[in-house]
Structure formats: structure tokens, C-alpha cells
């Protein structure tokens, strides 16, 4: 009975939330009414086809109108499109639906009933410890059938107030599915600067100038869809699109951000003294970095203005958590408190060098780090990396390529000099007790830089039993009868200096020999399994797009095989290289005499 009562309360709460946040009205007067047709339906292209994608943004009224028409071809199309859902932020947005209907045999069936909406707080970035406070309004359509057409439209009114008067967006004019018609319209103030940029041979807009405003209109078919290959670099975008912004240059973005990254220096000085008492500037800076990275957990509440405005350093210090902006501002404030020239640095973790082709925009960045200089040397630190090792000369930072320094007078992007490539060095010793017998297997691995950081993080977040099982299961792919590791030791004495980390493994392999397909022959396989795990790439051919090989690193492995008797073998030497990698392999046969 209690469970039923709670369920009723939850249903009532969802209904009240829907009534409060979802409205119904005719389309705004400023919206152009756009028609559609259902010609050129591609039956073999999936379960549905978009007949119309209609985006109209009014920067003057701070409103975005959306209008979709979808033809349902089969049951898969019904399954994919029978829920109408819209995500919005109630702290500054108002969601108003204008139409939801099913068109069957040319006749519309009205489905827009507010009482049928459910509103949920569905955090899409929960796994990354980010909470944005957005709501999702969902309406489940009933009695949907094959060959129906679903049409719906709505307006989101209100832009994030943190933007002030800087607006930007991107419209796509090509997708991975065919679209009968794409209509995009921008309405901007004729007296304010506005720029747009076309990508991938996109078409120029129709421009209409009215009293006080200007309209940019794209009206096109989009049957020429493009598909992506697997595992492409994150900065590759092959679809036709247009980006637009009201910012004139990067300095506009800097001036917009500067007031957001201010703090009370007197409060920070007290915090700094509680973290380090070192008289060395470099050591104090390193103490601050370690504290922010390891003692301030990563957690962010990204609703409304908090998506862009960091919390004050003293608050982040007291609560012991923050997102990338919070952690970066705290580190910058601590560094400035001892006279170091430090500033936040906005970066894009996906675009890398391609950010140079982007228009100046607030939305050009998805991450914040810190940069500073000591004795004429520049440093770039990502405060969100935990368990990082190395002194200031050996700290590693992901290669974000370029960033925007939040410093008065900055007019362009700053190039980030990449840190040295991480390394992995493996020494294996395989000692065979007899032909067709058993073996001892010892592995010593040295990790440096980012590879040391990730290994340290793994050991700090996993129990030793789990680690032993993971390591043993990995080598079981090569040696099926390997026994669980007797020893896996981590040596991390260089964390504060060179950031080199060492892992020692010991195994016993029963009957390491395998029967060959050739009669009366057995073999023992020696194979660089770890290397294969790093370079096991897709075998697809006839690719049209680049393949992402991963972040650069250096790998070396030496395998010593101790045989129970003399063995006839030959030396071997092979090497090859191209623009993507360099590889060499040597086999050296020798005889060791013991006295």
C-alpha cells in the first residue's frame, strides 16, 4: 500500500512539473510557415525519413523555433519516433509546443495534449560527474502506424543570461540520412556585427534586410547524405554546415570571460598558506597543483550560468569539489597569490588544431585548464588529472593544441607546446625448464608521463586481487594455462621527480608448449602481446576518411628466452616507418656459459 501511495505521489509530481514547464500556443508571428512534401521516399534507407527539418532562430527575441516532419516507413521507424522529447533548462528557458500531430491518409490527428506530457530530470552527463539541471519533456504518441507522418513544432524562449549579447550556433545542412527539405532562418539585429562561415562546400544564404533586422535563409534539399568511417579523428566533420556568431574576434570572448574569472585575493592568500609553506616558488606551485588535482574531486553542477561561470575559489576549497572551471580558477588563484603570472586557458578537447578554422564563439570550448610562467618558462596544467606525477619539468598535459587565455588584452589563440611523448618499456624473461615442460615468466615494465599517470590511477582505484586477475587474464590470451600472478608490485618512488613508474610481475606457466599442426612437432610462442593491444587497428579497406591511431607514444620491449639446451637460430633485423609510425624488430641469438 505504501509503495502504491509513493507511486501516486511521483505521478502527481511529474504531472505538476509538466503543467508548470510545458506550455501550448500557436507558433510565434515571426516564424515563417514552411511546407513539406513526401516525394522521393527511399524505402531501402531505414525505417523512417525526414521530410522537413526547420530551424528558425530569432536573436532579437532570444527564441529558437523547431519544426520536424517524419515519414514512418515500417515498424522500426515507429519504434524510433513515437516519443517526442525536448531537453530544456527551466532556469532561463520556456518550452512552448505549437503542434503535435499524426497525419494519416492526408488527414491530421491532433496529439498535443499537455496532460500527456511527462517531465524528468535526466542527467545526460551523470557518468562524467556533471549535473546540468536540465529537464526533458516527453510525450508518448499512441496509435502510431506504418506510413503515418509525424509533425511537431515547438519554441524554446530565453537564452542563457551568461551569454549577455554574444550569440552563436551551428546549423547542419547535411546528415547521415536523407532529408527532403532543410530550412534554416536567422533573424539578427541589423545594427550589430554578425558573421557566418560555410563548411564543406555549403551554399550561400539568401539575405533579406528589413527595418531594424536582417534575415539569413537557407532552403535546400539534403538527399546527398554522407556516412562516416569507423574510428575517425574527433576533429573530422564532413557534413555541410554553417557556423555563425555575433563576436567580432577572440578578444570579444576574452572580455566576456574576464568578469567570470575574478576572485577575492585576500581570501585565497589564507588558503594558500594552509596548503604549502615552501619558500621555493617552483615547489609551492607544485604543491598547489598536487592539492587541486588530488584533493578537489571532479564534480560539476552545470545548470544555467554555472555552465560557464566558475565558483569562487574559497567555496571550491571548502566543499572539496568542482568542475574544470572551478579547479582551474582555484589553481590560478593560488598561483597568483605567491606572485606567479597565471591565467585560465579555455580549450577544446575534440577540435585540436581545427579550432583555428572556427569562428570566435563562447561555445568553441568545452574544457578549462590553467597556464602560468616561472622564470620565463611557460607551463600548461590540466587540474582535472588525478594522480599525476612529475616535477614542473616533467608534468604532462594532453595535447589540446590551442587555447584561449583569459587575460586582459589577449586577441588570439595561444599555441600549447606538447609535452614529451609518454613511454612504455617492457623487459620479459621467459625461462623454460625443459622441452615440452613448464616456464617461469617475469615481466618488468617502466611507464613514464601520461602512461605512468593512467597506471597509477588504475592501481589506486583497484584492489590487488582484481589487479592480479586482470593482468593474468590478459596473458591468458597467449598462455592458456598460466597461473594467477604470484607477484605484482608497483614502485612509484619517482612520482615527485621524473614521473617514472615501475610494475613487476611474476607468473608460472604450466605446459607452455603447444602441439603443432605438423605431426611430431611442438612449439612455444613468443609474442609482443602488449604491443598488439595498443595497435590492434581496424582492418577495413577503401576508407575515405583518416583513421585515428591514438595519442603518440613510444614503446619498446625486450624478451629474453632462456632455453634448457642449445638451439639453432639465426639473427634477424627488420624495420619500417611512415608518417604514422616507426617500427623495428631484432632477434639476437647467443649462448651464455655458466662457470
Amino acid at each position: 500500500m505504501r509503495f502504491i501511495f509513493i507511486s501516486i505521489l511521483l505521478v502527481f509530481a511529474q504531472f505538476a512539473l509538466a503543467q508548470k514547464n510545458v506550455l501550448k500556443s500557436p507558433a510565434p508571428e515571426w516564424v515563417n510557415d514552411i511546407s513539406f512534401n513526401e516525394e522521393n521516399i527511399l524505402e531501402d534507407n531505414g525505417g523512417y525519413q525526414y521530410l522537413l527539418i526547420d530551424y528558425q532562430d530569432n536573436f532579437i527575441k532570444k527564441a529558437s523555433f523547431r519544426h520536424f516532419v517524419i515519414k514512418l516507413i515500417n515498424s522500426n521507424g515507429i519504434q524510433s519516433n513515437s516519443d517526442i522529447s525536448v531537453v530544456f533548462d527551466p532556469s532561463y528557458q520556456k518550452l512552448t509546443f505549437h503542434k503535435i500531430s499524426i497525419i494519416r491518409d492526408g488527414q491530421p490527428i491532433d496529439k498535443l495534449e499537455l496532460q500527456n506530457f511527462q517531465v524528468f530530470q535526466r542527467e545526460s552527463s551523470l557518468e562524467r560527474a556533471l549535473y546540468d539541471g536540465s529537464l526533458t519533456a516527453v510525450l508518448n504518441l499512441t496509435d502510431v502506424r506504418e506510413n503515418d507522418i509525424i509533425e511537431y513544432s515547438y519554441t524554446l524562449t530565453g537564452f542563457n543570461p551568461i551569454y549577455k549579447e554574444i550569440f552563436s550556433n551551428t546549423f547542419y545542412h547535411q546528415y547521415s540520412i536523407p532529408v527532403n527539405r532543410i530550412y534554416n532562418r536567422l533573424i539578427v539585429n541589423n545594427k550589430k556585427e554578425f558573421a557566418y562561415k560555410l563548411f564543406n562546400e555549403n551554399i550561400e544564404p539568401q539575405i533579406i534586410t528589413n527595418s531594424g533586422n536582417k534575415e539569413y535563409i537557407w532552403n535546400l534539399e539534403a538527399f546527398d547524405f554522407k556516412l562516416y568511417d569507423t574510428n575517425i579523428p574527433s576533429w573530422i566533420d564532413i557534413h555541410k554546415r554553417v557556423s555563425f556568431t555575433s563576436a567580432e574576434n577572440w578578444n570579444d570572448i576574452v572580455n566576456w570571460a574576464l568578469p567570470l574569472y575574478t576572485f577575492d585575493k585576500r581570501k585565497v592568500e589564507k588558503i594558500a598558506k594552509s596548503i604549502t609553506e615552501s619558500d621555493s616558488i617552483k615547489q609551492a606551485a607544485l604543491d598547489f597543483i598536487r592539492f587541486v588535482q588530488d584533493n578537489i574531486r571532479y564534480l560539476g553542477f552545470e545548470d544555467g550560468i554555472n555552465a560557464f561561470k566558475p565558483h569562487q575559489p574559497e567555496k571550491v576549497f571548502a566543499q572539496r569539489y568542482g568542475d574544470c572551471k572551478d579547479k582551474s580558477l582555484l589553481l590560478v588563484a593560488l598561483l597568483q597569490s605567491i606572485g606567479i603570472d597565471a591565467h585560465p586557458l579555455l580549450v577544446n578537447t575534440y577540435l585540436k588544431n581545427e579550432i583555428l578554422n572556427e569562428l570566435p564563439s563562447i561555445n568553441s570550448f568545452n574544457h578549462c585548464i590553467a597556464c602560468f610562467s616561472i622564470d620565463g618558462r611557460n607551463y600548461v596544467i590540466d587540474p582535472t588529472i588525478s594522480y599525476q606525477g612529475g616535477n614542473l619539468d616533467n608534468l604532462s598535459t594532453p595535447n589540446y593544441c590551442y587555447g584561449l587565455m583569459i587575460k586582459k588584452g589577449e586577441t588570439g589563440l595561444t599555441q600549447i607546446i606538447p609535452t614529451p611523448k609518454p613511454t612504455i618499456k617492457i623487459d620479459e624473461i621467459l625461462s623454460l625448464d625443459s622441452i615440452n615442460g613448464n616456464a617461469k615468466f617475469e615481466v618488468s615494465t617502466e611507464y613514464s608521463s601520461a602512461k605512468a599517470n593512467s597506471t597509477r590511477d588504475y592501481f589506486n582505484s583497484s584492489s590487488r586481487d582484481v589487479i592480479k586477475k586482470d593482468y593474468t587474464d590478459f596473458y591468458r590470451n597467449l598462455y592458456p594455462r598460466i597461473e594467477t600472478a604470484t607477484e605484482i608490485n608497483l614502485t612509484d618512488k619517482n612520482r615527485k621527480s621524473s614521473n617514472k613508474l615501475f610494475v613487476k610481475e611474476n607468473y608460472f606457466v604450466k605446459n607452455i608448449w603447444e602441439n603443432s599442426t605438423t605431426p611430431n612437432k611442438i612449439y612455444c610462442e613468443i609474442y609482443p602481446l602488449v604491443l598488439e593491444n595498443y595497435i590492434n587497428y581496424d582492418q577495413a579497406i577503401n576508407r575515405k576518411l583518416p583513421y585515428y591511431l591514438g595519442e603518440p607514444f613510444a614503446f619498446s620491449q625486450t624478451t629474453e628466452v632462456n632455453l634448457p639446451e642449445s638451439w639453432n637460430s639465426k639473427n634477424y633485423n627488420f624495420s619500417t616507418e611512415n608518417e604514422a609510425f616507426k617500427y623495428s624488430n631484432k632477434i639476437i641469438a647467443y649462448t651464455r656459459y655458466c662457470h
Side-chain angles (χ1 to χ4, degrees):
M1 184 68 183
R2 181 173 179 270
F3 174 77
I4 296 175
F5 178 71
I6 293 174
S7 298
I8 292 173
L9 283 178
L10 289 173
V11 171
F12 179 78
Q14 290 175 2
F15 176 76
L17 198 60
Q19 292 294 307
K20 177 182 178 181
N21 290 285
V22 182
L23 306 174
K24 175 182 177 180
S25 77
E29 294 182 358
W30 60 266
V31 169
N32 286 347
D33 186 19
I34 305 303
S35 62
F36 66 92
N37 67 73
E38 55 178 314
E39 299 175 0
N40 301 314
I41 300 298
L42 306 179
E43 299 287 344
D44 58 349
N45 200 60
Y48 62 94
Q49 184 167 322
Y50 275 90
L51 305 182
L52 175 66
I53 296 178
D54 173 12
Y55 286 1
Q56 301 183 45
D57 281 4
N58 191 324
F59 282 4
I60 299 173
K61 295 184 177 294
K62 298 181 181 180
S64 298
F65 172 81
R66 302 292 181 256
H67 179 200
F68 303 94
V69 183
I70 308 168
K71 173 75 173 184
L72 307 181
I73 299 172
N74 55 37
S75 59
N76 288 329
I78 295 173
Q79 182 68 38
S80 302
N81 296 279
S82 292
D83 288 334
I84 308 298
S85 66
V86 178
V87 178
F88 64 102
D89 190 326
S91 65
Y92 62 87
Q93 284 181 317
K94 180 177 68 175
L95 172 61
T96 305
F97 273 90
H98 314 301
K99 177 187 292 187
I100 299 179
S101 62
I102 295 175
I103 302 173
R104 183 175 298 151
D105 299 326
Q107 299 299 316
I109 304 171
D110 186 14
K111 293 287 185 177
L112 180 50
E113 297 292 341
L114 293 183
Q115 65 267 24
N116 293 332
F117 272 96
Q118 297 184 67
V119 177
F120 305 95
Q121 185 166 347
R122 180 171 166 263
E123 298 290 353
S124 59
S125 299
L126 186 64
E127 71 284 352
R128 296 190 292 122
L130 294 176
Y131 303 83
D132 61 15
S134 62
L135 299 179
T136 302
V138 179
L139 180 115
N140 179 262
L141 296 175
T142 59
D143 187 27
V144 185
R145 308 177 189 179
E146 288 187 11
N147 296 315
D148 281 350
I149 294 175
I150 295 176
E151 180 178 12
Y152 65 97
S153 63
Y154 61 88
T155 297
L156 286 169
T157 306
F159 290 172
N160 193 329
I162 200 70
Y163 285 143
K164 296 185 178 179
E165 294 302 317
I166 298 180
F167 305 119
S168 62
N169 205 345
T170 296
F171 285 159
Y172 276 83
H173 294 158
Q174 192 177 46
Y175 296 88
S176 57
I177 56 174
V179 180
N180 285 37
R181 185 180 184 184
I182 293 178
Y183 183 86
N184 290 161
R185 177 170 171 247
L186 299 174
I187 303 175
V188 299
N189 191 319
N190 197 25
K191 296 180 181 179
K192 293 186 178 182
E193 291 293 330
F194 181 82
Y196 68 88
K197 184 174 183 179
L198 305 173
F199 293 86
N200 300 321
E201 300 179 348
N202 201 1
I203 64 171
E204 291 286 344
Q206 175 190 6
I207 301 177
I208 302 173
T209 301
N210 300 314
S211 58
N213 62 52
K214 183 181 291 186
E215 297 184 16
Y216 297 80
I217 297 174
W218 286 266
N219 189 7
L220 65 157
E221 294 179 341
F223 289 105
D224 56 335
F225 61 96
K226 288 184 178 180
L227 300 177
Y228 284 94
D229 292 327
T230 58
N231 201 44
I232 64 168
S234 60
W235 55 86
I236 298 292
D237 191 337
I238 61 175
H239 290 143
K240 295 177 182 177
R241 68 188 191 279
V242 55
S243 293
F244 42 90
T245 180
S246 61
E248 292 186 45
N249 48 48
W250 289 114
N251 186 246
D252 280 355
I253 309 301
V254 172
N255 292 334
W256 163 82
L258 279 171
L260 306 179
Y261 287 84
T262 58
F263 56 90
D264 188 331
K265 293 182 179 180
R266 292 170 299 177
K267 294 180 180 179
V268 175
E269 288 173 355
K270 295 180 181 179
I271 296 173
K273 290 178 181 179
S274 71
I275 296 173
T276 183
E277 296 180 353
S278 176
D279 294 329
S280 166
I281 290 290
K282 283 191 173 183
Q283 184 57 51
L286 194 59
D287 291 342
F288 293 149
I289 293 169
R290 292 276 182 267
F291 180 86
V292 175
Q293 287 182 330
D294 296 346
N295 295 292
I296 305 296
R297 65 188 172 100
Y298 185 78
L299 176 65
F301 294 92
E302 307 288 288
D303 57 308
I305 65 173
N306 292 325
F308 298 95
K309 181 179 174 60
H311 295 90
Q312 286 298 294
E314 63 272 15
K315 180 178 181 180
V316 177
F317 175 79
Q319 66 192 15
R320 289 297 201 272
Y321 67 78
D323 63 10
C324 63
K325 306 181 301 296
D326 299 327
K327 287 166 72 80
S328 294
L329 183 58
L330 174 58
L331 177 57
V332 165
L334 292 169
L335 293 170
Q336 286 189 13
S337 73
I338 58 172
I340 296 176
D341 183 28
H343 304 278
L345 188 69
L346 302 180
V347 298
N348 191 300
T349 59
Y350 300 113
L351 289 179
K352 301 293 183 75
N353 285 315
E354 284 300 311
I355 197 171
L356 296 174
N357 296 320
E358 295 292 312
L359 292 173
S361 165
I362 294 171
N363 296 313
S364 295
F365 309 100
N366 66 348
H367 192 43
C368 183
I369 58 177
C371 60
F372 60 95
S373 61
I374 298 177
D375 297 334
R377 178 170 175 178
N378 297 323
Y379 299 90
V380 176
I381 300 298
D382 190 334
T384 66
I385 299 175
S386 299
Y387 301 114
Q388 186 170 31
N391 54 27
L392 285 184
D393 296 328
N394 291 293
L395 285 173
S396 63
T397 299
N399 187 14
Y400 299 130
C401 295
Y402 286 88
L404 184 66
M405 190 185 306
I406 307 306
K407 178 182 180 182
K408 187 175 181 179
E410 286 293 308
T411 58
L413 299 175
T414 298
Q415 185 174 11
I416 301 172
I417 305 301
T419 50
K421 290 187 295 186
T423 62
I424 300 175
K425 296 180 180 179
I426 298 178
D427 290 314
E428 294 181 345
I429 300 177
L430 188 67
S431 300
L432 308 174
D433 61 6
S434 62
I435 303 302
N436 205 21
N438 308 315
K440 291 182 179 179
F441 185 40
E442 302 173 51
V443 184
S444 299
T445 307
E446 175 191 296
Y447 300 93
S448 77
S449 191
K451 296 299 183 184
N453 296 337
S454 58
T455 303
R456 184 181 296 111
D457 185 39
Y458 169 69
F459 271 78
N460 277 291
S461 59
S462 305
S463 70
R464 283 299 184 267
D465 288 338
V466 169
I467 292 172
K468 282 185 177 182
K469 183 179 185 304
D470 288 347
Y471 271 66
T472 305
D473 288 346
F474 175 78
Y475 281 112
R476 192 162 278 130
N477 291 305
L478 182 60
Y479 304 122
R481 291 172 293 280
I482 192 171
E483 295 185 351
T484 301
T486 57
E487 177 188 35
I488 295 184
N489 287 332
L490 174 73
T491 302
D492 195 15
K493 61 183 179 181
N494 296 314
R495 182 184 179 187
K496 295 183 179 180
S497 55
S498 61
N499 193 25
K500 290 184 179 180
L501 179 148
F502 303 87
V503 176
K504 179 79 172 179
E505 311 162 53
N506 283 281
Y507 304 90
F508 181 76
V509 186
K510 286 184 177 180
N511 192 14
I512 195 171
W513 300 82
E514 302 288 345
N515 292 321
S516 172
T517 54
T518 304
N520 301 319
K521 286 190 176 182
I522 59 175
Y523 69 94
C524 174
E525 188 171 9
I526 313 300
Y527 191 73
L529 192 62
V530 177
L531 178 60
E532 181 192 52
N533 189 57
Y534 279 108
I535 61 173
N536 186 19
Y537 301 129
D538 195 339
Q539 299 299 311
I541 58 175
N542 298 324
R543 293 178 61 93
K544 296 181 179 179
L545 297 173
Y547 191 97
Y548 181 59
L549 297 175
E551 293 300 312
F553 70 100
F555 179 96
S556 65
Q557 175 173 330
T558 300
T559 302
E560 177 183 322
V561 183
N562 296 322
L563 298 168
E565 59 186 51
S566 298
W567 203 274
N568 293 324
S569 59
K570 296 180 180 180
N571 293 342
Y572 174 82
N573 194 349
F574 171 81
S575 64
T576 183
E577 65 178 288
N578 59 29
E579 61 181 359
F581 67 90
K582 180 179 181 180
Y583 173 82
S584 63
N585 181 21
K586 293 181 180 180
I587 297 177
I588 302 174
Y590 66 95
T591 302
R592 177 184 297 170
Y593 295 96
C594 298
H595 299 281

